[in-house]
Amino acid sequence: MFTWYAGKKWRYLSVLLAGGLTLSACSNTSTSMNHEGHEMQTKNSGVTTSSAFEVLTGNTFTLTAKESMLHLDDQTMKNVYTYNGTVPGPQLRVKQGEKVKIVLKNELPEPVTIHWHGLPVPNNMDGIPGVTQNAVKPNESFTYEFTAGVAGTYWYHSHQRSSVQVDKGLYGSLVVEPAAPTADPADQDVTLVLDEWMQDDSMAEMHGGGNSVGGDHGTMDHGSMNHGSMSSSPNPAINQSQHAANGHEDMAGMSDAEMMPLMYTIFSVNGKTGPAIPPIHVQEGEKIRLRLVNAGYLSHKLNLQGHEYRIVSTDGQPIHNPPLINGQLLNIAPGERYDIEFVANKPGSWLLEEKSPYPGAKSLTVPILYKGYEKEKAKPDTTQMPIVDITKYGEAAKSRFSLDQPYDITYQMDLNTQTMDGQMAFTINGKTFPDVPPLNVKKGDLVKVTMVNRSQEDIHPMHLHGHFFQVLSKNGQPVSGSPLIKDTLNILPGEAFVVAFVADNPGDWMFHCHDLGHAAQGMVSEVKYASYQADFVPDPSVGNMPE
């Protein structure tokens, strides 16, 4: 047996849990444990009593979509959708180059799929209902098979009504380990999945979405909210947001960017919030790798107290010669992943903490405790800090694309927030999906895309399926740091980015905002390969909803 610390540990396995765990070395086996170290029975009741969950290794898996309960802390429970009964679902840990088989079984009352976010897979395995497959009906199953070709940190989630189903908890992480052993592996490899939740799920009904079963974020109406029905909370930050919404600020006049943090006031890490988030236990001299995954709607600005760190990869792809960072925040947008590493060289009690101005920020704190300091409590850092500019981070190196080389296809994406037919819409080139003209390519094309955020306040993390792209410039300035390879790019209001990719994976692929509410309200385009024919027949009885 490999023995874990009370938080999360092992040199080679990423820990996607919020309690202690003892893991057998056998492929495809794992044992979930509660905080006292007793084995949990998570499969026989349908109700999760702790957020400890499995790390699955090997190349054959079963993921069952089903309803359950999530205990965010001792006072807060949520009805959720899950893969295998937990939020997040199991971490799938596979080897680069291996052929992987995942059986999705659906025990939910509505159709579901799985999209392998960031990992290039064949188009018919991408999990997009009505585009690459029919959504899996209740009591039916679907088998995904692909080769895990590119090492890195990824995640998986439903793409059927994703603004609703992901919000309810249908997600988990996926780590593809390099085929060749790492020269200097971390002593601890810890995965932290970030998300946000509503304090009062009745708000989901008021605006048509949220965490409660049956909501639909994609039909949000900013002008019809019954603010007086929001319940009070013992959390001062939540009360502050509810006080604002109850008349001191008019939510009907707010932008999406202003309103969402007032609604999503509980931030979670691996399905736990606030003091319920268990610590990461470290020993002096250890190298710690943190894999950060944002499965929520909001960006999170994170501060690692007391330690210098390096950003070793973004969206699973390595940064060239990353320098140490001290006193700067890492901003992780919806859909993005960042891997950071630090050496535990400052004994004490510290926090990985949220530093955004959002009401829920104080509920996202991960204690980092050295041996001998377990009873000490770290305090939040009130220092103002700049945000790392990832386009200037790391060392320049030879890369595949440049701004001045010839391209076969150029494409402009103007991203905007508009009112259409009396409703808020998020548009690409003035249109909403499915009316947005696609990016038409043929295999082998070199493609350059300019993305401009023309929304006054809304942020758009744009995600391309099936491909990585290289970021070439930001606001007219060439990337000056490491070659920056991503699949999800955060674009603030007024920002413009130029990216490039090679059309090397035939299919029909989505290119959309990963604020999933924005996608549901129109901010979706497609990359369509000439002469590609899907190998499935859309079933109109399923109710495929690909947003």
Side-chain angles (χ1 to χ4, degrees):
M1 287 288 191
F2 298 98
T3 302
W4 302 67
Y5 287 124
K8 313 157 179 103
K9 177 167 172 68
W10 191 28
R11 179 179 292 268
Y12 301 109
L13 269 185
S14 172
V15 189
L16 222 179
L17 71 155
L21 184 77
T22 301
L23 180 68
S24 82
C26 299
S27 177
N28 280 330
T29 62
S30 63
T31 305
S32 295
M33 312 291 288
N34 65 14
H35 290 291
E36 290 73 40
H38 301 299
E39 184 172 344
M40 290 175 51
Q41 300 298 320
T42 59
K43 297 183 179 180
N44 58 7
S45 67
V47 176
T48 303
T49 57
S50 171
S51 62
F53 50 86
E54 295 176 309
V55 177
L56 302 179
T57 62
N59 55 19
T60 302
F61 310 95
T62 297
L63 294 175
T64 302
K66 57 185 176 181
E67 293 183 81
S68 189
M69 294 293 295
L70 174 66
H71 293 245
L72 286 158
D73 59 22
D74 289 342
Q75 289 78 41
T76 312
M77 292 193 306
K78 297 289 179 184
N79 294 308
V80 291
Y81 281 3
T82 74
Y83 293 114
N84 290 17
T86 60
V87 178
Q91 178 169 88
L92 307 184
R93 191 89 182 194
V94 303
K95 294 290 186 181
Q96 183 182 10
E98 285 211 344
K99 293 183 178 179
V100 179
K101 179 179 178 180
I102 304 105
V103 178
L104 168 62
K105 295 182 177 180
N106 185 13
E107 296 180 3
L108 289 171
E110 61 177 293
V112 297
T113 68
I114 300 179
H115 166 60
W116 313 99
H117 184 115
L119 181 64
V121 299
N123 191 239
N124 62 351
M125 295 290 109
D126 197 42
I128 312 305
V131 178
T132 69
Q133 69 170 98
N134 289 304
V136 182
K137 294 179 180 180
N139 301 313
E140 295 187 2
S141 64
F142 183 87
T143 300
Y144 297 90
E145 295 184 89
F146 52 83
T147 297
V150 186
T153 302
Y154 307 101
W155 63 301
Y156 61 90
H157 60 81
S158 178
H159 226 290
Q160 167 76 4
R161 292 207 314 152
S162 58
S163 63
V164 176
Q165 293 189 354
V166 177
D167 205 29
K168 294 176 187 175
L170 269 179
Y171 57 79
S173 67
L174 169 65
V175 174
V176 180
E177 296 178 337
T182 304
D184 184 22
D187 298 296
Q188 295 199 53
D189 189 331
V190 181
T191 300
L192 303 175
V193 184
L194 314 179
D195 198 2
E196 312 91 30
W197 307 81
M198 293 183 184
Q199 177 71 19
D200 182 356
D201 284 341
S202 67
M203 295 179 68
E205 299 173 5
M206 289 185 287
H207 82 289
N211 310 118
S212 64
V213 174
D216 186 353
H217 179 80
T219 60
M220 180 185 298
D221 182 354
H222 290 221
S224 62
M225 298 186 69
N226 178 7
H227 306 154
S229 67
M230 286 189 288
S231 65
S232 62
S233 164
N235 185 325
I238 296 171
N239 277 334
Q240 177 185 357
S241 70
Q242 293 177 347
H243 182 69
N246 275 310
H248 291 267
E249 293 179 19
D250 185 4
M251 290 184 77
M254 289 183 180
S255 67
D256 187 72
E258 291 174 310
M259 187 172 69
M260 294 295 283
L262 299 183
M263 297 169 58
Y264 287 83
T265 53
I266 302 173
F267 292 179
S268 66
V269 177
N270 293 347
K272 291 293 186 182
T273 189
I277 299 172
I280 300 171
H281 291 263
V282 303
Q283 295 191 55
E284 188 172 4
E286 286 186 320
K287 183 166 77 170
I288 315 298
R289 187 183 189 105
L290 301 180
R291 299 178 188 263
L292 304 166
V293 180
N294 189 345
Y297 279 126
L298 303 176
S299 294
H300 296 281
K301 299 175 177 65
L302 301 179
N303 173 45
L304 177 62
Q305 292 183 357
H307 298 79
E308 296 180 315
Y309 67 92
R310 303 179 195 272
I311 304 173
V312 295
S313 73
T314 175
D315 292 352
Q317 307 315 300
I319 297 291
H320 182 60
N321 287 345
L324 287 168
I325 293 173
N326 187 17
Q328 296 185 64
L329 303 178
L330 176 61
N331 185 59
I332 177 169
E336 285 190 311
R337 291 89 61 213
Y338 282 95
D339 288 20
I340 67 174
E341 289 185 349
F342 69 95
V343 175
N345 56 11
K346 198 169 181 182
S349 175
W350 307 97
L351 297 174
L352 176 68
E353 59 181 344
E354 167 91 20
K355 292 282 287 181
S356 76
Y358 301 151
K362 292 181 180 179
S363 63
L364 198 167
T365 55
V366 183
I368 298 173
L369 300 180
Y370 282 73
K371 186 176 182 179
Y373 292 84
E374 290 85 357
K375 294 184 179 180
E376 295 191 10
K377 187 175 182 180
K379 296 180 180 180
D381 190 333
T382 58
T383 307
Q384 295 295 316
M385 302 176 190
I387 296 173
V388 177
D389 185 346
I390 197 66
T391 67
K392 298 179 180 179
Y393 180 76
E395 185 178 291
K398 185 178 180 180
S399 59
R400 184 167 192 175
F401 299 106
S402 65
L403 284 166
D404 55 2
Q405 73 182 74
Y407 288 90
D408 301 297
I409 304 290
T410 59
Y411 186 72
Q412 174 95 12
M413 300 177 75
D414 287 337
L415 314 171
N416 209 346
T417 305
Q418 299 175 247
T419 300
M420 302 181 73
D421 298 325
Q423 298 291 323
M424 178 177 289
F426 296 93
T427 63
I428 298 176
N429 299 336
K431 298 182 181 296
T432 57
F433 183 79
D435 297 327
V436 179
L439 200 174
N440 293 306
V441 302
K442 61 181 182 297
K443 188 175 181 181
D445 279 347
L446 302 183
V447 185
K448 183 170 70 172
V449 180
T450 300
M451 293 182 280
V452 183
N453 185 352
R454 302 193 185 278
S455 296
Q456 292 187 352
E457 298 181 20
D458 294 315
I459 300 169
H460 303 305
M462 297 301 294
H463 172 52
L464 173 61
H465 288 213
H467 306 74
F468 296 106
F469 52 76
Q470 182 178 336
V471 183
L472 301 179
S473 71
K474 174 184 177 182
N475 299 333
Q477 298 299 312
V479 169
S480 59
S482 167
L484 189 57
I485 311 301
K486 293 181 66 62
D487 58 70
T488 307
L489 181 62
N490 197 40
I491 309 176
L492 301 179
E495 288 186 336
F497 285 87
V498 176
V499 306
F501 67 94
V502 60
D504 59 0
N505 194 2
D508 294 333
W509 301 98
M510 296 190 77
F511 198 167
H512 67 94
C513 183
H514 220 277
D515 180 321
L516 296 173
H518 296 180
Q521 291 169 268
M523 194 168 278
V524 177
S525 182
E526 290 182 281
V527 175
K528 298 178 74 70
Y529 280 68
S531 302
Y532 180 80
Q533 295 292 326
D535 60 359
F536 83 104
V537 177
D539 181 350
S541 71
V542 173
N544 290 314
M545 297 182 67
E547 52 82 11

